[in-house]
Amino acid sequence: MRALITGITGQDGAYLARLLTDYGYEVFGAYRRGASPRTERLAYLNVSPEMVPFELGEYENVKRTIDHIKPDEIYNLAAQSFVADSFELPTYTCDVNGMGVLRILEAIRGKDIRLYQASTSEMFGNATPRQSETTPFIPRSPYGCGKLLAHSLCRNYRESYGVQVSCGILFNHESPLRGKEFVTQKIAYGVWDEHLRLGNLEAKRDWGHARDYVKAMWLMLQHQPDDFVVATGTAHSVKDFLTAAKQESGTEPVVTIDPKFYRPAEVNHLCGDATKAREILGWEPTTTFRDLVGEMVREAGKCSGYFWDSIDGKLPRIKSVITA
Ligand code: NAP
Ligand code: F7E
């Protein structure tokens, strides 16, 4: 089985590459064309897929890459994934996260390729929790709007042309490999410092572990194409995360609220209902909130800088680079 993972250099790309490699897949990792691939997360999980340069903004490049690799499954994880930045980069974010997916759909139309699309709970905006597959989408950020465009196009191509695409509406999932700009990782590192600057502590999120969530992605492509919510069903506030992190580290940093970290429009309370994923896919989360916070804080405490400073010297772990 051949799998192409876009966004291989990100958090989920690394965990999914590890999982599919363990399942005996031939894994091809698409990294952003023009940038040197950041292989630190792959190195951390000791996985070394074949790497292929890829740019979601360019249709011919997307099509040529897919035609060259001939994957059985594509996992589209590539995106401008930081919600706060999407307010500063709305056009770019909507092009990559929305139109980029249309380019993939066009490239695989009529082909026997199964596609996983990384949809998101951010599409729900302030819809009343718990949010499920039938909850209306009312996005509150350019990120959510771009992802909703992609989500709608996937449904449309499934219904119009029989494209075998499944969308995972994933709620927040974290790990020691999380980007350092996201609030959980910022806190996991920040509790080891004297000072921590944060924004809205009242926002609530349904936080799971990325390792569990990539398993759901794979399960979706082994079933009939459909849309699935993936979540733990329990929400905590940013303040709860901070409290749990301080308990884990045993430290007491000075926390300052900085308006710079507030968003023009906030999503207040996300908490998912993953009943459909449990009943159809047999998927269940295995990591509790306390275990997730503990793992992230302990890993952060081992590093002097960000996690990849600690794996310096082991790079690169790229098998080879293929150019389509
Ligand atoms: P991430 O760590 O930010 O990784 C994003 C990946 O996309 C990186 O490999 C990045 O490459 C790549 N990328 C960005 N722009 C690209 C472009 N124009 N062309 C090709 N590649 C590009 O995100 P993640 O947390 O792993 O999330 C994976 C996917 O799930 C994303 O689509 C995200 O929006 C979605 N999602 C995430 C969550 C969550 O809680 N983590 C929840 C719901 C949905 P560089 O390394 O070069 O920047
Ligand atoms: O913010 C609040 C912030 O940036 C969480 C992405 O993976 O999940 C992620 O998006 C909450 C928000 O994640 C700070 O206002 C307070 O309410 O960690 P975050 P996110 O925006 O929920 C969804 C599902 C995705 O799809 C996205 O790709 O925390 N918050 N103080 C802060 N957030 C940040 N980043 N930094 C702060 O200082």
Side-chain angles (χ1 to χ4, degrees):
M1 207 53 112
R2 290 161 79 86
L4 175 64
I5 303 175
T6 75
I8 190 84
T9 56
Q11 169 188 262
D12 292 5
Y15 279 103
L16 183 63
R18 179 70 271 162
L19 183 86
L20 297 186
T21 303
D22 291 346
Y23 285 177
Y25 276 67
E26 211 178 333
V27 178
F28 298 85
Y31 68 94
R32 205 199 304 229
R33 191 175 261 285
S36 2
R38 296 197 319 205
T39 53
E40 295 86 350
R41 292 185 173 96
L42 295 165
Y44 185 93
L45 295 177
N46 197 18
V47 59
S48 52
E50 305 269 4
M51 299 289 274
V52 52
F54 177 87
E55 173 51 62
L56 265 179
E58 187 65 50
Y59 174 68
E60 280 304 324
N61 179 247
V62 169
K63 184 169 171 6
R64 225 176 15 249
T65 305
I66 293 170
D67 288 348
H68 186 75
I69 303 290
K70 296 189 176 44
D72 300 292
E73 297 175 356
I74 300 176
Y75 295 84
N76 181 40
L77 310 184
Q80 192 301 92
S81 74
F82 190 34
V83 173
D85 272 2
S86 77
F87 290 98
E88 294 298 320
L89 306 168
T91 318
Y92 171 77
T93 301
C94 288
D95 185 46
V96 171
N97 297 5
M99 294 299 288
V101 179
L102 181 55
R103 294 180 186 107
I104 296 180
L105 289 166
E106 271 296 303
I108 66 170
R109 191 171 140 180
K111 297 195 175 89
D112 188 17
I113 298 175
R114 293 190 295 284
L115 172 65
Y116 171 82
Q117 167 55 20
S119 290
T120 166
S121 53
E122 188 68 17
M123 300 187 307
F124 292 123
N126 279 335
T128 309
R130 293 175 175 166
Q131 297 90 0
S132 74
E133 294 80 4
T134 54
T135 303
F137 297 120
I138 323 163
R140 302 257 298 161
S141 63
Y143 170 80
C145 293
K147 284 284 186 175
L148 182 53
L149 170 63
H151 186 79
S152 311
L153 286 164
C154 287
R155 278 188 164 180
N156 179 249
Y157 271 57
R158 192 162 65 208
E159 290 164 8
S160 306
Y161 308 117
V163 170
Q164 303 169 70
V165 53
S166 291
C167 299
I169 307 172
L170 269 52
F171 283 61
N172 298 52
H173 46 281
E174 321 291 313
S175 74
L177 302 188
R178 188 55 144 152
K180 63 181 183 308
E181 61 278 26
F182 297 94
V183 78
T184 53
Q185 190 72 307
K186 196 172 162 186
I187 293 172
Y189 278 82
V191 290
W192 297 105
D193 292 334
E194 280 171 24
H195 247 99
L196 179 53
R197 287 185 179 279
L198 293 170
N200 178 12
L201 299 188
E202 304 307 322
K204 289 187 174 150
R205 290 292 183 273
D206 179 337
W207 280 298
H209 198 300
R211 197 175 36 228
D212 289 339
Y213 284 42
V214 299
K215 175 92 182 280
M217 296 176 189
W218 174 78
L219 283 168
M220 280 179 223
L221 292 202
Q222 316 315 310
H223 285 75
Q224 283 301 312
D226 205 344
D227 301 332
F228 294 92
V229 159
V230 177
T232 70
T234 309
H236 292 87
S237 66
V238 174
K239 198 190 281 169
D240 294 337
F241 195 102
L242 176 63
T243 304
K246 286 194 294 187
Q247 282 165 0
E248 182 66 37
S249 64
T251 57
E252 202 51 62
V254 176
V255 177
T256 310
I257 302 303
D258 188 337
K260 158 170 115 184
F261 297 113
Y262 276 74
R263 294 169 185 180
E266 176 65 284
V267 169
N268 298 318
H269 189 176
L270 290 173
C271 187
D273 175 355
T275 306
K276 183 175 169 184
R278 190 178 62 243
E279 289 179 351
I280 297 178
L281 306 177
W283 179 86
E284 294 217 46
T286 66
T287 315
T288 64
F289 176 72
R290 292 303 297 217
D291 288 348
L292 172 69
V293 178
E295 185 183 340
M296 291 181 74
V297 171
R298 282 191 305 278
E299 283 300 296
K302 288 185 201 160
C303 308
S304 51
Y306 190 38
F307 78 89
W308 44 56
D309 297 337
S310 65
I311 51 169
D312 203 20
K314 291 193 201 153
L315 302 177
R317 278 186 186 270
I318 296 178
K319 212 185 273 169
S320 65
V321 174
I322 300 164
T323 313

